[in-house]
Amino acid sequence: VSHLRFDPLSGEWVTVSPRRLGRPVTASAEGCPFCPGGEGSEAPDPDWDVAVFDNRFPSYGGPGEPLPGLGPGYAAAPAGGRAEIVLYSPRHDVHLPDLPEGKVRLLVEVWRHRTEVLEADPAVACVFVFENRGRDAGQTIGHPHGQIYGYPLVPPRLARELERLREHRLRHGACLVCAIRAHEAGGPRQVDREGGWLAFVPFAPRFPSEVHLVPERHVGELAGLGDEEVADLARLLQRTVRRYDGLYGAPMPYVMAVYQRPRPAAPEGLWHLRVAFHPFLRAPGRLKYLAGSESAAGAFLLDASPEDMAQALRAVRL
Ligand SMILES: [Zn+2]
Ligand SMILES: [Zn+2]
């Protein structure tokens, strides 16, 4: 059963989830648990556009169990929370760039709706929408899909950002992300824009062609987006993935994540919504590995300038 353990040296919680090893690994449609109608399929019958269901091998949601033998500064807790799968299409071979625009919009609407549902669960401290695309990004089932975690805690990355946002707000009385977005608009790292959404490579990214999508309006979560903003985001999401696939002429393995207000840790008005892509190719056929500096020291090294990567992404013919 899943549970959380606290590491006294890093000050971070990790999730221990041995059951996940039972999850099947399959790239092809044969034996795919997400293709509707197949034997042992977890997907509902095929009359749908986007489907959501509980992950059968969840990282979160277990009742937990008592752990014996805790040591100095150690702590453990049940991994309550939620884990859901979001299928982008009943078809095994239809990826995000191939979907009709209306279906991508529907997908974002589903994220928005599930966020509202999961946020109402008292066991959930942070709703995190993400996609692992490609085997090199940790995708174990080839069927195009994303996931939604209802974390029982605020994950370390978001907790740190929350502190940075709080500090900037105290010192300058304004939102740091609003300031960054305004600074990047029209600059050398801008990649694309759609309505009020700006796509840009951040000043100091962790991955060479990392792209962030940030709305102009100061809004903290998907649930706060109007229909027009959802439609604009859907178009920009799809174009961004097409740019990635065009960059090296092959599907880009990436992790895409929606960073939204971790309720209830972040007071209303403090957070600014963004979607971030973490792409794993640094050149054609060459993966960016998390090697010694990244894995062991947490210090990321880039072998291309963010300005050059933005230029290359802008230049992709769509
Ligand atoms: Zn499938
Ligand atoms: Zn803002």
PDB file of all heavy atoms in Angstrom, residues 273-307:
ATOM      1  N   LEU A 273      -1.357  30.758 -12.743  1.00  0.00           N
ATOM      2  CA  LEU A 273      -1.400  29.512 -13.515  1.00  0.00           C
ATOM      3  C   LEU A 273      -0.352  29.470 -14.624  1.00  0.00           C
ATOM      4  O   LEU A 273      -0.083  30.485 -15.272  1.00  0.00           O
ATOM      5  CB  LEU A 273      -2.799  29.415 -14.143  1.00  0.00           C
ATOM      6  CG  LEU A 273      -3.095  28.272 -15.111  1.00  0.00           C
ATOM      7  CD1 LEU A 273      -3.121  26.948 -14.363  1.00  0.00           C
ATOM      8  CD2 LEU A 273      -4.436  28.515 -15.810  1.00  0.00           C
ATOM      9  N   ARG A 274       0.252  28.286 -14.851  1.00  0.00           N
ATOM     10  CA  ARG A 274       1.053  28.130 -16.062  1.00  0.00           C
ATOM     11  C   ARG A 274       1.119  26.664 -16.458  1.00  0.00           C
ATOM     12  O   ARG A 274       0.912  25.771 -15.641  1.00  0.00           O
ATOM     13  CB  ARG A 274       2.446  28.724 -15.899  1.00  0.00           C
ATOM     14  CG  ARG A 274       3.453  27.859 -15.195  1.00  0.00           C
ATOM     15  CD  ARG A 274       4.841  28.510 -15.279  1.00  0.00           C
ATOM     16  NE  ARG A 274       5.852  27.578 -14.814  1.00  0.00           N
ATOM     17  CZ  ARG A 274       6.121  27.324 -13.541  1.00  0.00           C
ATOM     18  NH1 ARG A 274       5.453  27.940 -12.586  1.00  0.00           N
ATOM     19  NH2 ARG A 274       7.049  26.456 -13.211  1.00  0.00           N
ATOM     20  N   VAL A 275       1.389  26.443 -17.727  1.00  0.00           N
ATOM     21  CA  VAL A 275       1.602  25.094 -18.241  1.00  0.00           C
ATOM     22  C   VAL A 275       3.052  25.036 -18.679  1.00  0.00           C
ATOM     23  O   VAL A 275       3.542  25.954 -19.332  1.00  0.00           O
ATOM     24  CB  VAL A 275       0.674  24.798 -19.444  1.00  0.00           C
ATOM     25  CG1 VAL A 275       0.901  23.389 -19.971  1.00  0.00           C
ATOM     26  CG2 VAL A 275      -0.789  25.002 -19.060  1.00  0.00           C
ATOM     27  N   ALA A 276       3.761  23.975 -18.289  1.00  0.00           N
ATOM     28  CA  ALA A 276       5.177  23.889 -18.646  1.00  0.00           C
ATOM     29  C   ALA A 276       5.464  22.570 -19.363  1.00  0.00           C
ATOM     30  O   ALA A 276       4.935  21.523 -18.990  1.00  0.00           O
ATOM     31  CB  ALA A 276       6.045  24.007 -17.396  1.00  0.00           C
ATOM     32  N   PHE A 277       6.287  22.661 -20.392  1.00  0.00           N
ATOM     33  CA  PHE A 277       6.772  21.468 -21.091  1.00  0.00           C
ATOM     34  C   PHE A 277       8.227  21.239 -20.719  1.00  0.00           C
ATOM     35  O   PHE A 277       9.044  22.158 -20.810  1.00  0.00           O
ATOM     36  CB  PHE A 277       6.695  21.671 -22.611  1.00  0.00           C
ATOM     37  CG  PHE A 277       5.311  21.563 -23.175  1.00  0.00           C
ATOM     38  CD1 PHE A 277       4.484  22.681 -23.229  1.00  0.00           C
ATOM     39  CD2 PHE A 277       4.833  20.356 -23.669  1.00  0.00           C
ATOM     40  CE1 PHE A 277       3.207  22.588 -23.762  1.00  0.00           C
ATOM     41  CE2 PHE A 277       3.556  20.254 -24.206  1.00  0.00           C
ATOM     42  CZ  PHE A 277       2.746  21.374 -24.248  1.00  0.00           C
ATOM     43  N   HIS A 278       8.552  20.008 -20.327  1.00  0.00           N
ATOM     44  CA  HIS A 278       9.930  19.614 -20.069  1.00  0.00           C
ATOM     45  C   HIS A 278      10.331  18.588 -21.119  1.00  0.00           C
ATOM     46  O   HIS A 278      10.038  17.405 -20.975  1.00  0.00           O
ATOM     47  CB  HIS A 278      10.066  19.011 -18.666  1.00  0.00           C
ATOM     48  CG  HIS A 278       9.648  19.945 -17.582  1.00  0.00           C
ATOM     49  ND1 HIS A 278       9.011  19.534 -16.442  1.00  0.00           N
ATOM     50  CD2 HIS A 278       9.762  21.284 -17.479  1.00  0.00           C
ATOM     51  CE1 HIS A 278       8.760  20.590 -15.672  1.00  0.00           C
ATOM     52  NE2 HIS A 278       9.209  21.648 -16.276  1.00  0.00           N
ATOM     53  N   PRO A 279      10.964  19.011 -22.198  1.00  0.00           N
ATOM     54  CA  PRO A 279      11.306  18.111 -23.296  1.00  0.00           C
ATOM     55  C   PRO A 279      12.656  17.428 -23.065  1.00  0.00           C
ATOM     56  O   PRO A 279      13.573  18.038 -22.520  1.00  0.00           O
ATOM     57  CB  PRO A 279      11.367  19.045 -24.494  1.00  0.00           C
ATOM     58  CG  PRO A 279      11.684  20.382 -23.929  1.00  0.00           C
ATOM     59  CD  PRO A 279      11.311  20.407 -22.474  1.00  0.00           C
ATOM     60  N   PHE A 280      12.769  16.170 -23.486  1.00  0.00           N
ATOM     61  CA  PHE A 280      13.949  15.378 -23.133  1.00  0.00           C
ATOM     62  C   PHE A 280      14.968  15.191 -24.245  1.00  0.00           C
ATOM     63  O   PHE A 280      15.995  14.572 -24.029  1.00  0.00           O
ATOM     64  CB  PHE A 280      13.521  14.019 -22.578  1.00  0.00           C
ATOM     65  CG  PHE A 280      12.854  14.139 -21.234  1.00  0.00           C
ATOM     66  CD1 PHE A 280      11.486  13.999 -21.101  1.00  0.00           C
ATOM     67  CD2 PHE A 280      13.592  14.447 -20.109  1.00  0.00           C
ATOM     68  CE1 PHE A 280      10.867  14.147 -19.862  1.00  0.00           C
ATOM     69  CE2 PHE A 280      12.991  14.595 -18.866  1.00  0.00           C
ATOM     70  CZ  PHE A 280      11.626  14.442 -18.740  1.00  0.00           C
ATOM     71  N   LEU A 281      14.679  15.712 -25.465  1.00  0.00           N
ATOM     72  CA  LEU A 281      15.707  15.645 -26.510  1.00  0.00           C
ATOM     73  C   LEU A 281      16.486  16.951 -26.513  1.00  0.00           C
ATOM     74  O   LEU A 281      15.907  18.036 -26.460  1.00  0.00           O
ATOM     75  CB  LEU A 281      15.076  15.428 -27.889  1.00  0.00           C
ATOM     76  CG  LEU A 281      14.604  14.021 -28.238  1.00  0.00           C
ATOM     77  CD1 LEU A 281      13.990  14.010 -29.640  1.00  0.00           C
ATOM     78  CD2 LEU A 281      15.739  13.010 -28.167  1.00  0.00           C
ATOM     79  N   ARG A 282      17.831  16.844 -26.601  1.00  0.00           N
ATOM     80  CA  ARG A 282      18.635  18.073 -26.654  1.00  0.00           C
ATOM     81  C   ARG A 282      19.256  18.258 -28.029  1.00  0.00           C
ATOM     82  O   ARG A 282      19.848  19.293 -28.329  1.00  0.00           O
ATOM     83  CB  ARG A 282      19.727  18.043 -25.583  1.00  0.00           C
ATOM     84  CG  ARG A 282      20.668  16.883 -25.682  1.00  0.00           C
ATOM     85  CD  ARG A 282      21.483  16.741 -24.406  1.00  0.00           C
ATOM     86  NE  ARG A 282      22.371  15.589 -24.459  1.00  0.00           N
ATOM     87  CZ  ARG A 282      23.618  15.639 -24.910  1.00  0.00           C
ATOM     88  NH1 ARG A 282      24.122  16.765 -25.350  1.00  0.00           N
ATOM     89  NH2 ARG A 282      24.342  14.549 -24.917  1.00  0.00           N
ATOM     90  N   ALA A 283      19.112  17.237 -28.881  1.00  0.00           N
ATOM     91  CA  ALA A 283      19.568  17.281 -30.268  1.00  0.00           C
ATOM     92  C   ALA A 283      18.884  16.086 -30.938  1.00  0.00           C
ATOM     93  O   ALA A 283      18.346  15.227 -30.236  1.00  0.00           O
ATOM     94  CB  ALA A 283      21.095  17.153 -30.342  1.00  0.00           C
ATOM     95  N   PRO A 284      18.910  16.003 -32.291  1.00  0.00           N
ATOM     96  CA  PRO A 284      18.234  14.865 -32.925  1.00  0.00           C
ATOM     97  C   PRO A 284      18.743  13.538 -32.370  1.00  0.00           C
ATOM     98  O   PRO A 284      19.944  13.274 -32.403  1.00  0.00           O
ATOM     99  CB  PRO A 284      18.594  15.025 -34.402  1.00  0.00           C
ATOM    100  CG  PRO A 284      18.865  16.486 -34.573  1.00  0.00           C
ATOM    101  CD  PRO A 284      19.469  16.941 -33.270  1.00  0.00           C
ATOM    102  N   GLY A 285      17.852  12.736 -31.820  1.00  0.00           N
ATOM    103  CA  GLY A 285      18.222  11.412 -31.326  1.00  0.00           C
ATOM    104  C   GLY A 285      19.058  11.421 -30.057  1.00  0.00           C
ATOM    105  O   GLY A 285      19.519  10.372 -29.623  1.00  0.00           O
ATOM    106  N   ARG A 286      19.284  12.586 -29.467  1.00  0.00           N
ATOM    107  CA  ARG A 286      20.121  12.635 -28.250  1.00  0.00           C
ATOM    108  C   ARG A 286      19.302  13.093 -27.059  1.00  0.00           C
ATOM    109  O   ARG A 286      18.803  14.210 -27.023  1.00  0.00           O
ATOM    110  CB  ARG A 286      21.318  13.557 -28.475  1.00  0.00           C
ATOM    111  CG  ARG A 286      22.329  12.936 -29.423  1.00  0.00           C
ATOM    112  CD  ARG A 286      23.361  13.942 -29.829  1.00  0.00           C
ATOM    113  NE  ARG A 286      24.275  14.258 -28.734  1.00  0.00           N
ATOM    114  CZ  ARG A 286      25.238  15.174 -28.830  1.00  0.00           C
ATOM    115  NH1 ARG A 286      25.390  15.861 -29.949  1.00  0.00           N
ATOM    116  NH2 ARG A 286      26.036  15.415 -27.811  1.00  0.00           N
ATOM    117  N   LEU A 287      19.226  12.192 -26.084  1.00  0.00           N
ATOM    118  CA  LEU A 287      18.422  12.471 -24.902  1.00  0.00           C
ATOM    119  C   LEU A 287      19.192  13.290 -23.885  1.00  0.00           C
ATOM    120  O   LEU A 287      20.404  13.158 -23.753  1.00  0.00           O
ATOM    121  CB  LEU A 287      18.009  11.158 -24.233  1.00  0.00           C
ATOM    122  CG  LEU A 287      16.834  10.401 -24.856  1.00  0.00           C
ATOM    123  CD1 LEU A 287      16.709   9.038 -24.200  1.00  0.00           C
ATOM    124  CD2 LEU A 287      15.543  11.190 -24.701  1.00  0.00           C
ATOM    125  N   LYS A 288      18.443  14.130 -23.191  1.00  0.00           N
ATOM    126  CA  LYS A 288      19.007  14.834 -22.038  1.00  0.00           C
ATOM    127  C   LYS A 288      18.834  13.913 -20.833  1.00  0.00           C
ATOM    128  O   LYS A 288      17.717  13.651 -20.397  1.00  0.00           O
ATOM    129  CB  LYS A 288      18.235  16.141 -21.834  1.00  0.00           C
ATOM    130  CG  LYS A 288      18.387  16.785 -20.470  1.00  0.00           C
ATOM    131  CD  LYS A 288      19.662  17.555 -20.360  1.00  0.00           C
ATOM    132  CE  LYS A 288      19.822  18.147 -18.959  1.00  0.00           C
ATOM    133  NZ  LYS A 288      21.218  18.551 -18.724  1.00  0.00           N
ATOM    134  N   TYR A 289      19.959  13.387 -20.333  1.00  0.00           N
ATOM    135  CA  TYR A 289      19.872  12.531 -19.149  1.00  0.00           C
ATOM    136  C   TYR A 289      20.024  13.368 -17.887  1.00  0.00           C
ATOM    137  O   TYR A 289      20.731  14.369 -17.895  1.00  0.00           O
ATOM    138  CB  TYR A 289      20.967  11.459 -19.183  1.00  0.00           C
ATOM    139  CG  TYR A 289      20.703  10.390 -20.197  1.00  0.00           C
ATOM    140  CD1 TYR A 289      21.398  10.369 -21.406  1.00  0.00           C
ATOM    141  CD2 TYR A 289      19.751   9.401 -19.961  1.00  0.00           C
ATOM    142  CE1 TYR A 289      21.137   9.391 -22.356  1.00  0.00           C
ATOM    143  CE2 TYR A 289      19.486   8.422 -20.903  1.00  0.00           C
ATOM    144  CZ  TYR A 289      20.181   8.425 -22.094  1.00  0.00           C
ATOM    145  OH  TYR A 289      19.917   7.464 -23.026  1.00  0.00           O
ATOM    146  N   LEU A 290      19.363  12.944 -16.859  1.00  0.00           N
ATOM    147  CA  LEU A 290      19.601  13.578 -15.574  1.00  0.00           C
ATOM    148  C   LEU A 290      20.812  12.862 -14.976  1.00  0.00           C
ATOM    149  O   LEU A 290      20.696  11.823 -14.352  1.00  0.00           O
ATOM    150  CB  LEU A 290      18.374  13.472 -14.674  1.00  0.00           C
ATOM    151  CG  LEU A 290      17.120  14.136 -15.255  1.00  0.00           C
ATOM    152  CD1 LEU A 290      16.015  14.213 -14.219  1.00  0.00           C
ATOM    153  CD2 LEU A 290      17.423  15.530 -15.808  1.00  0.00           C
ATOM    154  N   ALA A 291      21.981  13.423 -15.233  1.00  0.00           N
ATOM    155  CA  ALA A 291      23.231  12.775 -14.866  1.00  0.00           C
ATOM    156  C   ALA A 291      23.714  13.285 -13.512  1.00  0.00           C
ATOM    157  O   ALA A 291      22.922  13.788 -12.726  1.00  0.00           O
ATOM    158  CB  ALA A 291      24.261  13.001 -15.971  1.00  0.00           C
ATOM    159  N   GLY A 292      25.014  13.161 -13.278  1.00  0.00           N
ATOM    160  CA  GLY A 292      25.551  13.436 -11.950  1.00  0.00           C
ATOM    161  C   GLY A 292      25.129  14.765 -11.360  1.00  0.00           C
ATOM    162  O   GLY A 292      24.615  14.825 -10.243  1.00  0.00           O
ATOM    163  N   SER A 293      25.322  15.817 -12.134  1.00  0.00           N
ATOM    164  CA  SER A 293      25.037  17.138 -11.595  1.00  0.00           C
ATOM    165  C   SER A 293      23.541  17.303 -11.299  1.00  0.00           C
ATOM    166  O   SER A 293      23.156  17.823 -10.254  1.00  0.00           O
ATOM    167  CB  SER A 293      25.503  18.218 -12.575  1.00  0.00           C
ATOM    168  OG  SER A 293      25.388  19.489 -11.992  1.00  0.00           O
ATOM    169  N   GLU A 294      22.716  16.838 -12.245  1.00  0.00           N
ATOM    170  CA  GLU A 294      21.269  17.003 -12.066  1.00  0.00           C
ATOM    171  C   GLU A 294      20.726  16.056 -10.997  1.00  0.00           C
ATOM    172  O   GLU A 294      20.011  16.483 -10.085  1.00  0.00           O
ATOM    173  CB  GLU A 294      20.540  16.745 -13.396  1.00  0.00           C
ATOM    174  CG  GLU A 294      20.744  17.832 -14.445  1.00  0.00           C
ATOM    175  CD  GLU A 294      21.972  17.602 -15.304  1.00  0.00           C
ATOM    176  OE1 GLU A 294      22.728  16.642 -15.023  1.00  0.00           O
ATOM    177  OE2 GLU A 294      22.189  18.386 -16.249  1.00  0.00           O
ATOM    178  N   SER A 295      21.061  14.732 -11.124  1.00  0.00           N
ATOM    179  CA  SER A 295      20.492  13.748 -10.203  1.00  0.00           C
ATOM    180  C   SER A 295      21.038  13.882  -8.795  1.00  0.00           C
ATOM    181  O   SER A 295      20.308  13.769  -7.821  1.00  0.00           O
ATOM    182  CB  SER A 295      20.788  12.325 -10.687  1.00  0.00           C
ATOM    183  OG  SER A 295      20.108  12.060 -11.871  1.00  0.00           O
ATOM    184  N   ALA A 296      22.349  14.081  -8.708  1.00  0.00           N
ATOM    185  CA  ALA A 296      22.977  14.015  -7.392  1.00  0.00           C
ATOM    186  C   ALA A 296      23.057  15.371  -6.706  1.00  0.00           C
ATOM    187  O   ALA A 296      22.925  15.463  -5.489  1.00  0.00           O
ATOM    188  CB  ALA A 296      24.374  13.403  -7.517  1.00  0.00           C
ATOM    189  N   ALA A 297      23.289  16.425  -7.505  1.00  0.00           N
ATOM    190  CA  ALA A 297      23.451  17.747  -6.888  1.00  0.00           C
ATOM    191  C   ALA A 297      22.235  18.641  -7.096  1.00  0.00           C
ATOM    192  O   ALA A 297      22.118  19.685  -6.456  1.00  0.00           O
ATOM    193  CB  ALA A 297      24.695  18.442  -7.451  1.00  0.00           C
ATOM    194  N   GLY A 298      21.352  18.251  -8.008  1.00  0.00           N
ATOM    195  CA  GLY A 298      20.183  19.090  -8.281  1.00  0.00           C
ATOM    196  C   GLY A 298      20.545  20.341  -9.057  1.00  0.00           C
ATOM    197  O   GLY A 298      19.793  21.301  -9.079  1.00  0.00           O
ATOM    198  N   ALA A 299      21.722  20.330  -9.713  1.00  0.00           N
ATOM    199  CA  ALA A 299      22.158  21.496 -10.488  1.00  0.00           C
ATOM    200  C   ALA A 299      22.066  21.165 -11.975  1.00  0.00           C
ATOM    201  O   ALA A 299      22.792  20.304 -12.465  1.00  0.00           O
ATOM    202  CB  ALA A 299      23.594  21.873 -10.117  1.00  0.00           C
ATOM    203  N   PHE A 300      21.185  21.843 -12.693  1.00  0.00           N
ATOM    204  CA  PHE A 300      20.953  21.533 -14.103  1.00  0.00           C
ATOM    205  C   PHE A 300      21.962  22.249 -15.001  1.00  0.00           C
ATOM    206  O   PHE A 300      22.275  23.418 -14.789  1.00  0.00           O
ATOM    207  CB  PHE A 300      19.527  21.914 -14.502  1.00  0.00           C
ATOM    208  CG  PHE A 300      18.521  20.871 -14.101  1.00  0.00           C
ATOM    209  CD1 PHE A 300      18.222  20.654 -12.763  1.00  0.00           C
ATOM    210  CD2 PHE A 300      17.902  20.081 -15.056  1.00  0.00           C
ATOM    211  CE1 PHE A 300      17.309  19.675 -12.382  1.00  0.00           C
ATOM    212  CE2 PHE A 300      16.984  19.100 -14.687  1.00  0.00           C
ATOM    213  CZ  PHE A 300      16.694  18.895 -13.354  1.00  0.00           C
ATOM    214  N   LEU A 301      22.462  21.499 -16.003  1.00  0.00           N
ATOM    215  CA  LEU A 301      23.385  22.061 -16.988  1.00  0.00           C
ATOM    216  C   LEU A 301      22.697  22.082 -18.348  1.00  0.00           C
ATOM    217  O   LEU A 301      22.042  21.115 -18.724  1.00  0.00           O
ATOM    218  CB  LEU A 301      24.648  21.196 -17.100  1.00  0.00           C
ATOM    219  CG  LEU A 301      25.403  20.876 -15.811  1.00  0.00           C
ATOM    220  CD1 LEU A 301      26.632  20.018 -16.126  1.00  0.00           C
ATOM    221  CD2 LEU A 301      25.844  22.157 -15.119  1.00  0.00           C
ATOM    222  N   LEU A 302      22.855  23.160 -19.103  1.00  0.00           N
ATOM    223  CA  LEU A 302      22.275  23.270 -20.440  1.00  0.00           C
ATOM    224  C   LEU A 302      23.396  23.371 -21.459  1.00  0.00           C
ATOM    225  O   LEU A 302      24.362  24.089 -21.229  1.00  0.00           O
ATOM    226  CB  LEU A 302      21.428  24.537 -20.549  1.00  0.00           C
ATOM    227  CG  LEU A 302      20.180  24.637 -19.683  1.00  0.00           C
ATOM    228  CD1 LEU A 302      19.525  25.991 -19.903  1.00  0.00           C
ATOM    229  CD2 LEU A 302      19.211  23.528 -20.012  1.00  0.00           C
ATOM    230  N   ASP A 303      23.233  22.670 -22.612  1.00  0.00           N
ATOM    231  CA  ASP A 303      24.261  22.819 -23.631  1.00  0.00           C
ATOM    232  C   ASP A 303      23.759  23.618 -24.834  1.00  0.00           C
ATOM    233  O   ASP A 303      24.316  23.535 -25.915  1.00  0.00           O
ATOM    234  CB  ASP A 303      24.837  21.455 -24.056  1.00  0.00           C
ATOM    235  CG  ASP A 303      23.745  20.467 -24.402  1.00  0.00           C
ATOM    236  OD1 ASP A 303      22.593  20.900 -24.542  1.00  0.00           O
ATOM    237  OD2 ASP A 303      24.048  19.275 -24.525  1.00  0.00           O
ATOM    238  N   ALA A 304      22.676  24.364 -24.636  1.00  0.00           N
ATOM    239  CA  ALA A 304      22.219  25.280 -25.692  1.00  0.00           C
ATOM    240  C   ALA A 304      21.637  26.509 -25.000  1.00  0.00           C
ATOM    241  O   ALA A 304      21.149  26.417 -23.879  1.00  0.00           O
ATOM    242  CB  ALA A 304      21.159  24.609 -26.552  1.00  0.00           C
ATOM    243  N   SER A 305      21.701  27.642 -25.674  1.00  0.00           N
ATOM    244  CA  SER A 305      21.179  28.846 -25.016  1.00  0.00           C
ATOM    245  C   SER A 305      19.666  28.896 -25.192  1.00  0.00           C
ATOM    246  O   SER A 305      19.135  28.545 -26.251  1.00  0.00           O
ATOM    247  CB  SER A 305      21.841  30.101 -25.581  1.00  0.00           C
ATOM    248  OG  SER A 305      21.082  30.609 -26.658  1.00  0.00           O
ATOM    249  N   PRO A 306      18.948  29.323 -24.168  1.00  0.00           N
ATOM    250  CA  PRO A 306      17.491  29.425 -24.255  1.00  0.00           C
ATOM    251  C   PRO A 306      17.046  30.332 -25.404  1.00  0.00           C
ATOM    252  O   PRO A 306      16.026  30.066 -26.034  1.00  0.00           O
ATOM    253  CB  PRO A 306      17.114  30.023 -22.895  1.00  0.00           C
ATOM    254  CG  PRO A 306      18.201  29.589 -21.967  1.00  0.00           C
ATOM    255  CD  PRO A 306      19.450  29.590 -22.802  1.00  0.00           C
ATOM    256  N   GLU A 307      17.820  31.377 -25.716  1.00  0.00           N
ATOM    257  CA  GLU A 307      17.459  32.276 -26.813  1.00  0.00           C
ATOM    258  C   GLU A 307      17.552  31.541 -28.153  1.00  0.00           C
ATOM    259  O   GLU A 307      16.685  31.686 -29.020  1.00  0.00           O
ATOM    260  CB  GLU A 307      18.375  33.509 -26.818  1.00  0.00           C
ATOM    261  CG  GLU A 307      18.187  34.435 -25.610  1.00  0.00           C
ATOM    262  CD  GLU A 307      18.781  33.887 -24.312  1.00  0.00           C
ATOM    263  OE1 GLU A 307      19.723  33.060 -24.383  1.00  0.00           O
ATOM    264  OE2 GLU A 307      18.306  34.266 -23.216  1.00  0.00           O
TER     265      GLU A 307
END
